[in-house]
Amino acid sequence: MKILFLDQSGKPGGAELCLIDIAKPYRDSCLVGLFADGSFRNLLEQQHIPVQVLATEPIQVRKESSFAQGLGSVSSLMPLIARVVRKAREYDLIYANTQKALVVGAIASFLSRRPLVYHLHDILSLDHFSRTNLSIAVTLANAQASLVIANSKASKMAFVKAGGREQITEVVYNGFEPELYRIDQSSSSQLKQQLGLDGRFLVGHFSRLSPWKGQHILLEALVRCPEDVTALFVGDALFGEQDYVQLLHKRVAELGIEERVRFLGFRSDIVPLMNACDLVAHTSTAPEPFGRVIVEAMLCGRPVVAAEAGGAIELVEPDITGFLIPPGDPTRLAEIIISCRNQPLHAATIAHQAQSQASQCFDLTTVNQQIEKLLYRIVKGK
Ligand code: UDP
């Protein structure tokens, strides 16, 4: 099966990391077409997945764009669409991995007469998107996609609620290779030492820096915790949220917790870093479509606390495989941190249960088989 994957991003967010895993089995017969250059291209090349940057200029439309801005950018997309149409004729299927890829992919699918699959990694609601962008996504998916792969039941529900066709939508969770997350603990202890964090109770937050990812909630929780509790922020502002980064640093200074906070920026060595943490916190203030970091923490055998909304609810069974807190609630977060710090055996039992359950439920081989079956059905026209 020859697949033309499309993704708008040059930077590796969760959707892009998921695409690497999906594209790997097709590396001899696929192409990943990007609409921007960046480190995501390098990651694909490292995995020997054919990749090409198809856009010659950045696409201006943003998640919150108005209808007029949207229309304006469609005309600027014409050269890109023409390129994608030509490419698509060499492939059996177009696989759009992001919203802008859906826009380009839908038009290219119509013109090249190739079926379109849309991998939905977002909760299509007004929390995340403008009304215009929301209706463009739903209208194009309904009109042109043969299949919508939703990354959680929550993403599917939001799509259907926004008017998306339920009959074409299947839920497929992200897949992971559990063995990659089980590492020798000594390398993590070393890493903790190198970071000068020995003896601290380390709460890790692994996410791009963005207001809705709620890094500020962890800062507010920290001041309600004993002095040895320290926060490790791993991730960068991938989509220009520099104001938020400044706000976080300002808040750290205001709270006088400079010694208890580390910002590491974007890192590729997530596994040893997660293993060095005593607890992993997910603090999104808006519903998370899936939440890869939650599953990754589980696979590392680290206890995880997540904000109870969206896909996170499907990943965490409260007090069995992790902890759930109301979104945006630093007091409740602090309580969970303190209880994990004071009762490490209980936290370890939960983390152990989560590790074995996550290894079964999110196994990449099974997920890729599921996707292959769905794609074959589309290509064979059944
Ligand atoms: N991640 C990473 N380096 C970082 C921060 C995050 O590789 O410095 C990865 C993280 O391990 C996860 C992904 O980025 O696999 C984020 O996915 P998630 O679903 O949690 O959030 P999204 O970015 O899709 O909103």
Side-chain angles (χ1 to χ4, degrees), residues 12-15 17 206-208 212-213 234-235 265-267 270 288 291-293 296:
L17 295 170
F206 296 78
S207 175
R208 59 199 152 89
W212 77 272
K213 289 290 189 180
V234 182
F266 185 87
R267 299 274 295 230
I270 290 298
E288 185 74 57
R292 289 176 62 86
V293 290
E296 289 168 340

Side-chain angles (χ1 to χ4, degrees), residues 154-204:
S155 297
K156 175 177 173 173
M157 259 166 58
F159 176 67
V160 172
K161 197 169 160 216
R165 285 164 60 204
E166 188 167 8
Q167 319 82 280
I168 58 165
T169 312
E170 297 281 346
V171 173
V172 181
Y173 290 129
N174 281 204
F176 299 82
E177 294 173 80
E179 58 285 0
L180 298 183
Y181 294 83
R182 293 172 192 254
I183 58 158
D184 178 11
Q185 275 304 319
S186 65
S187 64
S188 291
S189 311
Q190 246 175 27
L191 191 57
K192 196 168 173 180
Q193 212 172 9
Q194 278 163 14
L195 292 167
L197 296 172
D198 246 359
R200 306 282 187 102
F201 185 88
L202 202 53
V203 184

Side-chain angles (χ1 to χ4, degrees), residues 28-249:
D28 294 331
S29 57
C30 79
L31 175 70
V32 179
L34 301 182
F35 301 171
D37 202 358
S39 55
F40 178 35
R41 178 174 58 78
N42 304 115
L43 289 178
L44 287 159
E45 283 169 352
Q46 279 163 25
Q47 296 291 334
H48 308 289
I49 298 168
V51 54
Q52 209 174 320
V53 180
L54 298 175
T56 47
E57 53 187 86
I59 300 172
Q60 296 304 344
V61 78
R62 296 180 67 85
K63 280 184 171 187
E64 60 281 4
S65 291
S66 67
F67 186 67
Q69 286 165 324
L71 274 186
S73 60
V74 167
S75 59
S76 71
L77 288 180
M78 286 310 177
L80 172 62
I81 292 170
R83 214 164 298 133
V84 172
V85 170
R86 276 197 303 276
K87 280 273 167 226
R89 294 202 170 109
E90 300 165 29
Y91 293 86
D92 301 317
L93 180 85
I94 301 174
Y95 192 113
N97 198 50
T98 55
Q99 273 222 35
K100 288 169 205 167
L102 169 68
V103 174
V104 173
I107 301 170
S109 153
F110 178 75
L111 294 173
S112 65
R113 297 172 183 274
R114 294 296 183 274
L116 174 75
V117 170
Y118 174 36
H119 198 144
L120 175 62
H121 295 276
D122 294 306
I123 295 217
L124 292 179
S125 73
L126 296 172
D127 279 327
H128 294 277
F129 296 96
S130 70
R131 207 173 285 281
T132 306
N133 282 356
L134 229 152
S135 72
I136 289 176
V138 171
T139 307
L140 288 177
N142 280 350
Q144 200 60 36
S146 307
L147 168 70
V148 175
I149 297 177
N151 66 350
S152 65
K153 291 179 194 156
S155 297
K156 175 177 173 173
M157 259 166 58
F159 176 67
V160 172
K161 197 169 160 216
R165 285 164 60 204
E166 188 167 8
Q167 319 82 280
I168 58 165
T169 312
E170 297 281 346
V171 173
V172 181
Y173 290 129
N174 281 204
F176 299 82
E177 294 173 80
E179 58 285 0
L180 298 183
Y181 294 83
R182 293 172 192 254
I183 58 158
D184 178 11
Q185 275 304 319
S186 65
S187 64
S188 291
S189 311
Q190 246 175 27
L191 191 57
K192 196 168 173 180
Q193 212 172 9
Q194 278 163 14
L195 292 167
L197 296 172
D198 246 359
R200 306 282 187 102
F201 185 88
L202 202 53
V203 184
H205 194 292
F206 296 78
S207 175
R208 59 199 152 89
L209 303 178
S210 174
W212 77 272
K213 289 290 189 180
Q215 280 85 0
H216 58 285
I217 305 295
L218 178 53
L219 292 182
E220 303 300 331
L222 213 57
V223 286
R224 295 164 166 85
C225 294
E227 281 287 321
D228 64 322
V229 177
T230 300
L232 186 70
F233 291 101
V234 182
D236 213 342
L238 289 190
F239 306 116
E241 299 95 338
Q242 286 310 325
D243 290 353
Y244 183 61
V245 177
Q246 278 174 16
L247 197 133
L248 287 175
H249 286 282

